[in-house]
Amino acid sequence: MTAPLVEVRDLAVAFPGRGGGPPVRAVDGVSFDIRPGETLGLVGQSGSGKTTTGRAVLQLEPVQAGSVRLLGQDLTRMRGRALRQMRRHMQFVLQNPYSSLHPRMTVEQILREPLVVHRTVPAGAERARVAELLELVRLDPAMMRRYPHEFSGGQRQRIVIARALAVHPAFVVCDEPVSALDVRTQAQIVGLLRDLQEKLGVSYLFIAHDLAIVREVAHRVAVMVGGRIVEIGEAAQVYDAPAHPYTRMLLDAVAVPDPAVQRARLGRVPPDIEGRAAAAGGARTG
Amino acid sequence: MTADAPLLEVRDLAARFVARAETVEAVRGISFDIRPGEAVGFVGESGCGKSVTARAILRLAPEGSTVALSGSVRYRGQDLLALSERAIRAVRGRRIAMVFQDPMTSLNPVMTVGAQIEDMLREHTDLSRTAIRERAVELLDQVGIENARARVHDHPHQFSGGMRQRVLIAIAISCNPDLLIADEPTTALDVIVQAQILRLLLRLREQMGMSLMLITHDFGVVAGMVERVNVMYRGRIVETGEVDRVFAAPAHPYTRALLDAVPRLAIARGPA
């Protein structure tokens, strides 16, 4: 078996408590590996710590404890220039394709930026690389002179993906990359991410609350609740034979496009649990 | 009105936005009925006109725009498009209520949730001050908010997204509407909270006997909630029918394409 590309061990992230209270452990002892060319799906409810985990892996959140190894090097011990040099190996695709592209920059300028920052192509060859990147995400290279507002949501997300892939990263964290898109566009972007993985061998940490989407992209899946991973395994095993009751609860809550099944599912949410779960889910305590 | 007569009869409804020199036809002549107590789904992608349709029923335009409506929207036999501004206000919120997607922007951040429910009751009922207070607590309790008597004094930011959606639903049902229009009521929520809110809508509909117009892009959300479904595409209803039939045997290619795009829980990737 190939050595893992990403090795996360006992990762912990703490945020200061509200109103001088004790610190909140947003990520509390998380460990996982991602192999080259593999997708690990990270699922959980909002507030479970999945986004913070993704950011901490990329060293965009201060790590309180634990280690994150990428290509064998511990990122948590790196600072300044060393860490900046590692950034070309790890990239980020965010949820909102409307706010993650600079509105006054053309697509060419947007895609040129990482090439210049990381000096990955010789001076003068940037435009050719930009064209190549647009073709990679199935956009017409002739569109490089346009501005983000001239594109649809799905096209913008393709540009965001092209920007992430510009510097040949080995690893991309995708945080809810399709949740702002229509179903048909979602399916196209998910298909694109899978094709790019096959073509480029890139690994993904795919963070999403939609378990059905994650099933389409992930080889392995981790389920997160309250800052901890409660179950991790091969996708087929986690979905078909979940070991943890929380995983089962998440799976039962997925709205499936089958009227008879969905009616039965909604009927099974008992009213008292409904209220209690709501009270536990983010309500003020004390 | 006989028992079988539709509560809402929409005929040839069209909505045009006039922006500078350009006219955009968001809804291009659609017709549908909603019967008393019936739940009807409207499914389509963004820009298909489903939200504009919902707002057009109450003669509301998306923020910052003007919309020209034509056709008719008969509610209990009365054409809402022909009513005076004053008369439509008596229907809006009281007889036909709406819940929108974003529970944060729909609530006033500087008012307690109790005060926001009370506002609605003051405007549309002649209950006494004490009765209004009591009713606000009762409504919060009805939508599944624990400790309702204390929580009426809280502000929206003290609630989670799912709880805020419950508060909006409490406001919407406060005057016992005949029809609740829910526009993407769970899109901003995660799966478990989504299931809770859908279950709540089902329960309230059952308890109150109201009709439900559920607007969503998600075939999974609409599947268990409605008796009939309308599929919208580019301002038109391209398919309408009983929900089980539409899912089992979609007649329109667009419906089929949308259904095919919905991810199924049944397909997994093997190891890398």
Side-chain angles (χ1 to χ4, degrees):
Chain A
M1 191 170 285
T2 32
L5 176 81
V6 182
E7 291 177 82
V8 176
R9 289 293 171 274
D10 305 316
L11 184 68
V13 179
F15 291 130
R18 261 200 198 165
V24 182
R25 277 219 160 183
V27 179
D28 194 2
V30 159
S31 301
F32 57 81
D33 289 347
I34 305 177
R35 290 189 289 267
E38 182 183 60
T39 301
L40 176 68
L42 185 57
V43 299
Q45 286 185 266
S46 39
S48 61
K50 57 190 195 301
T51 289
T52 308
T53 298
R55 293 180 53 84
V57 167
L58 295 175
Q59 307 302 301
L60 300 170
E61 276 314 328
V63 170
Q64 190 197 29
S67 64
V68 177
R69 286 181 176 276
L70 174 66
L71 297 160
Q73 302 200 57
D74 188 353
L75 302 176
T76 60
R77 292 168 182 276
M78 289 185 177
R79 295 284 175 273
R81 191 158 172 251
L83 186 59
R84 275 200 302 277
Q85 281 176 346
M86 283 305 280
R87 293 222 174 273
R88 62 168 288 196
H89 302 296
M90 50 182 189
Q91 293 289 315
F92 208 5
V93 172
L94 282 172
Q95 172 176 352
N96 194 335
Y98 294 88
S99 59
S100 50
L101 295 172
H102 196 295
R104 298 248 173 102
M105 283 166 80
T106 63
V107 171
E108 181 178 1
Q109 288 168 326
I110 289 167
L111 294 181
R112 231 175 220 270
E113 204 171 55
L115 304 178
V116 173
V117 170
H118 293 283
R119 295 191 193 96
T120 49
V121 292
E126 293 95 345
R127 175 166 290 177
R129 176 67 180 147
V130 167
E132 191 181 280
L133 283 166
L134 287 172
E135 271 174 0
L136 192 65
V137 297
R138 296 175 208 147
L139 287 174
D140 182 355
M143 289 174 162
M144 71 169 78
R145 285 186 193 82
R146 298 197 192 166
Y147 290 90
H149 72 88
E150 298 176 68
F151 293 88
S152 68
Q155 288 174 324
R156 283 183 227 207
Q157 198 60 305
R158 286 170 194 271
I159 297 166
V160 172
I161 293 168
R163 180 177 59 187
L165 296 174
V167 292
H168 304 287
F171 174 53
V172 179
V173 175
C174 304
D175 189 2
E176 300 280 6
V178 299
S179 55
L181 306 170
D182 279 320
V183 277
R184 284 191 306 170
T185 317
Q186 283 191 352
Q188 286 161 7
I189 297 292
V190 161
L192 175 68
L193 286 170
R194 289 180 57 154
D195 291 351
L196 291 171
Q197 183 167 57
E198 261 148 52
K199 203 178 281 180
L200 309 170
V202 60
S203 301
Y204 299 127
L205 176 64
F206 192 98
I207 301 167
H209 70 277
D210 185 334
L211 283 94
I213 287 280
V214 170
R215 177 143 206 185
E216 302 226 319
V217 291
H219 301 99
R220 289 189 311 127
V221 177
V223 181
M224 213 168 160
V225 57
R228 294 164 190 262
I229 289 178
V230 294
E231 178 161 6
I232 184 165
E234 297 296 332
Q237 177 221 314
V238 172
Y239 280 82
D240 298 336
H244 197 279
Y246 182 79
T247 310
R248 159 89 12 231
M249 194 168 103
L250 269 186
L251 285 167
D252 282 346
V254 174
V256 292
D258 181 324
V261 172
Q262 191 57 19
R263 278 192 290 265
R265 284 181 162 224
L266 288 174
R268 276 205 304 269
V269 184
D272 56 331
I273 292 204
E274 190 191 328
R276 253 188 297 134
R284 196 179 55 145
T285 48
Chain B
M1 200 169 82
T2 65
D4 297 341
L7 181 71
L8 195 76
E9 281 180 271
V10 174
R11 292 294 172 271
D12 302 316
L13 178 67
R16 288 178 200 84
F17 292 94
V18 186
R20 291 185 209 116
E22 212 183 352
T23 304
V24 180
E25 222 179 352
V27 179
R28 300 161 185 254
I30 64 171
S31 302
F32 62 91
D33 290 348
I34 298 179
R35 289 188 282 270
E38 185 186 37
V40 180
F42 285 76
V43 191
E45 293 176 295
S46 45
C48 72
K50 57 191 193 301
S51 291
V52 177
T53 301
R55 281 165 181 76
I57 290 170
L58 288 170
R59 293 203 347 228
L60 296 168
E63 215 156 307
S65 66
T66 9
V67 63
L69 300 173
S70 63
S72 68
V73 177
R74 292 193 167 270
Y75 163 73
R76 295 184 178 275
Q78 188 179 33
D79 187 0
L80 298 182
L81 298 190
L83 288 185
S84 68
E85 193 49 42
R86 189 193 167 93
I88 187 84
R89 273 206 300 272
V91 175
R92 208 183 275 159
R94 181 169 183 209
R95 308 309 330 150
I96 303 177
M98 270 191 93
V99 179
F100 297 97
Q101 174 177 344
D102 192 336
M104 199 57 210
T105 53
S106 311
L107 287 168
N108 184 334
V110 297
M111 275 172 84
T112 66
V113 302
Q116 299 186 55
I117 302 174
E118 287 167 23
D119 259 8
M120 188 75 176
L121 292 165
R122 234 187 326 271
E123 203 183 318
H124 290 296
T125 68
D126 41 23
L127 292 174
S128 71
R129 267 173 65 175
T130 18
I132 284 179
R133 289 249 164 91
E134 266 318 294
R135 178 84 178 120
V137 173
E138 196 182 288
L139 281 161
L140 274 193
D141 189 64
Q142 200 182 353
V143 297
I145 290 185
E146 291 206 333
N147 214 353
R149 191 162 298 278
R151 301 223 62 184
V152 285
H153 304 298
D154 284 347
H155 288 83
H157 71 88
Q158 292 168 295
F159 291 81
S160 68
M163 304 278 272
R164 286 196 284 264
Q165 196 56 284
R166 286 173 193 265
V167 171
L168 281 180
I169 293 170
I171 295 172
I173 63 165
S174 60
C175 303
N176 296 313
D178 293 325
L179 170 64
L180 178 66
I181 302 175
D183 186 3
E184 301 276 10
T186 62
T187 302
L189 308 171
D190 63 51
V191 280
I192 290 181
V193 180
Q194 166 167 287
Q196 290 161 353
I197 296 292
L198 294 179
R199 180 73 183 88
L200 171 66
L201 288 172
L202 279 182
R203 171 160 66 77
L204 292 173
R205 183 193 152 208
E206 209 168 292
Q207 284 171 355
M208 302 170 59
M210 63 184 178
S211 306
L212 179 67
M213 176 173 177
L214 179 65
I215 293 149
T216 174
H217 68 282
D218 188 335
F219 270 101
V221 164
V222 87
M225 296 290 292
V226 302
E227 285 93 53
R228 281 190 305 124
V229 64
N230 292 300
V231 181
M232 286 190 73
Y233 180 61
R234 295 192 169 180
R236 293 202 168 85
I237 293 175
V238 295
E239 177 154 10
T240 181
E242 187 260 324
V243 67
D244 293 80
R245 198 279 299 158
V246 171
F247 277 72
H252 196 281
Y254 179 72
T255 311
R256 211 167 305 138
L258 274 188
L259 274 168
D260 284 346
V262 179
R264 312 279 155 156
L265 271 173
I267 316 144
R269 286 181 96 174

